[in-house]
Amino acid sequence: MTPLAERIASLIEASGPIGVADYMMLCLFDPAYGYYTTHEPFGADGDFTTAPEISQMFGELVGIWIFRAWQSAGKPSPVTIAEIGPGRGTLMKDVLRTLGRLDPALARNAQFALVETSPRLTDIQKRTLHGTDVQIAWHTGTETLPPAPLILVGNELFDALPIRQYVKTASGWRERVIGLDKDGKLAFMAGPGAPDMTLLPPDAPGAQDGAIVELAPARTALMETVAHRLAEHGGAALFIDYGHAEPGLGDTLQALRRHEYDDVLAHPGEADLTAHVDFSALATAARSQGLTASVTAQGDFLLRMGLLERAGALGANGNDALREKLTGEVERLAGPSATGGMGELFEVLEVVSSLKGQ
């Protein structure tokens, strides 16, 4: 057992089984043994690779989206351009380069910010962005961002926020919890808690025993916070994550360790835990604040933003090896899941306030 597994087992022995949300919080954010507290998750030497690490084109196209969102908002000044959950800072680095080319005045005058809770990742981001020509402020939450129109980006943010799971049993829907089996090992089981049935997807009533439903109040709460901010001050937000556009049944909780899928309960604190994002729930939360919200597959979004044109421009004066590399990056970012692409699995949520910045 990992040190964190032993700690969780002791907690369960003392207080009883814990919910999936509590388990995820411990695994990812425990101050002593949490995955994001102690590990470098990104890149070939980590456990997974995100789109900004795959190709500079991803961040450049996000930069184009930011520029267009700023234009659509009436070119407000001042404006805050922020990223939440910025990883190693690679995306923001590409965004800053792109904005500097599109509109040097915007790059000079905007207030740039990164929202990050991990001191270790903050240090990495500062090293990545060292030498850029703009001033960047770091925040631990969105509530301290300047009170101005906001253009906010979050890539693979919501998937790591904790979820609650419910399992269909002979006696109805019950919260899925983690306890100890007869050998003292972590194991899933059904707890006594029941969900609010009005929150379950339409196909839940007819589900078979053993079916799983996932609810994510923490994700909804964050989306509502962002949406309230946009409704009050104006702006737009872009969220990109893997998930589904419509709610439904299914167990999507998974662990990634060394670029391979792992048993969710096998290595607490040493594997990344994520679950698919219900984009319909996030869009509903945004619309409840009077915002416009639309969901698009990542492949369609990137093609609309000019992925093929950008790849062509980068490869125009290059050799065959460069063009082959760019073709591979396009396929990875926008291609179908059947060929290893992210274009269908990942969804893009665009949220826009009707309030124009002044």
Side-chain angles (χ1 to χ4, degrees):
M1 297 178 76
T2 66
L4 184 56
E6 294 178 355
R7 181 173 174 183
I8 292 172
S10 298
L11 176 65
I12 293 172
E13 286 180 340
S15 305
I18 62 175
V20 171
D22 291 333
Y23 178 74
M24 289 184 70
M25 285 295 294
L26 287 168
C27 289
L28 297 177
F29 305 111
D30 180 81
Y33 302 114
Y35 178 77
Y36 285 110
T37 308
T38 61
H39 283 67
E40 170 53 67
F42 308 104
D45 295 330
D47 294 299
F48 57 87
T49 303
T50 60
E53 308 286 343
I54 292 171
S55 174
Q56 70 181 64
M57 294 185 289
F58 183 84
E60 290 170 347
L61 296 177
V62 170
I64 292 173
W65 181 89
I66 290 172
F67 178 68
R68 291 180 181 175
W70 174 70
Q71 288 182 313
S72 296
K75 298 184 178 181
S77 183
V79 63
T80 299
I81 297 173
E83 182 183 1
I84 181 169
R88 291 197 293 202
T90 306
L91 174 61
M92 181 57 76
K93 184 176 182 179
D94 292 334
V95 164
L96 291 175
R97 184 180 65 254
T98 302
L99 292 179
R101 292 172 178 171
L102 291 172
D103 192 325
L106 171 61
R108 286 194 306 269
N109 298 328
Q111 304 172 89
F112 291 94
L114 295 182
V115 180
E116 178 58 70
T117 59
S118 167
R120 185 184 61 80
L121 287 176
T122 296
D123 289 339
I124 293 173
Q125 293 152 16
K126 288 180 177 179
R127 291 198 296 271
T128 299
L129 296 166
H130 178 72
T132 56
D133 295 331
V134 304
Q135 292 294 317
I136 302 174
W138 270 261
H139 300 257
T140 57
T142 59
E143 65 278 356
T144 59
L145 291 172
L150 172 67
I151 311 293
L152 180 67
V153 172
N155 180 59
E156 296 200 39
L157 166 71
F158 285 101
D159 67 279
L161 295 184
I163 63 167
R164 303 183 76 171
Q165 288 189 325
Y166 296 88
V167 57
K168 180 70 177 298
T169 71
S171 59
W173 287 96
R174 295 291 179 265
E175 183 167 11
R176 198 183 191 204
V177 298
I178 296 155
L180 301 177
D181 63 16
K182 58 183 179 58
D183 298 319
K185 295 182 179 180
L186 300 178
F188 286 110
M189 54 190 63
D196 179 349
M197 295 300 294
T198 64
L199 300 178
L200 302 190
D203 51 352
Q208 309 225 338
D209 288 357
I212 302 291
V213 162
E214 296 174 342
L215 300 178
R219 295 173 179 173
T220 301
L222 177 57
M223 188 69 251
E224 288 174 344
T225 298
V226 170
H228 178 75
R229 165 63 189 262
L230 294 178
E232 183 177 6
H233 294 287
L238 182 76
F239 296 108
I240 306 171
D241 228 312
Y242 62 93
H244 41 272
E246 298 295 335
L249 303 174
D251 177 10
T252 72
L253 181 64
Q254 61 187 26
L256 275 175
R257 187 169 182 254
R258 300 169 186 168
H259 296 271
E260 299 286 344
Y261 289 109
D262 194 26
D263 186 306
V264 169
L265 302 180
H267 300 97
E270 296 182 1
D272 183 37
L273 294 185
T274 65
H276 286 205
V277 176
D278 180 356
F279 278 86
S280 65
L282 298 184
T284 298
R287 292 174 186 136
S288 72
Q289 299 288 330
L291 307 183
T292 300
S294 60
V295 180
T296 312
Q298 176 174 296
D300 294 336
F301 170 80
L302 293 177
L303 292 173
R304 169 163 59 90
M305 298 308 299
L307 176 61
L308 296 180
E309 292 81 359
R310 181 54 179 155
L314 288 173
N317 298 317
N319 55 26
D320 289 343
L322 174 60
R323 285 190 285 272
E324 184 177 351
K325 175 178 177 291
L326 291 168
T327 298
E329 291 174 359
V330 169
E331 284 296 319
R332 183 79 184 278
L333 292 174
S337 303
T339 58
M342 305 165 69
E344 298 172 341
L345 178 60
F346 280 68
E347 304 281 351
V348 179
L349 172 64
E350 298 173 78
V351 178
V352 179
S353 168
S354 60
L355 176 66
K356 299 288 186 181
Q358 300 300 318

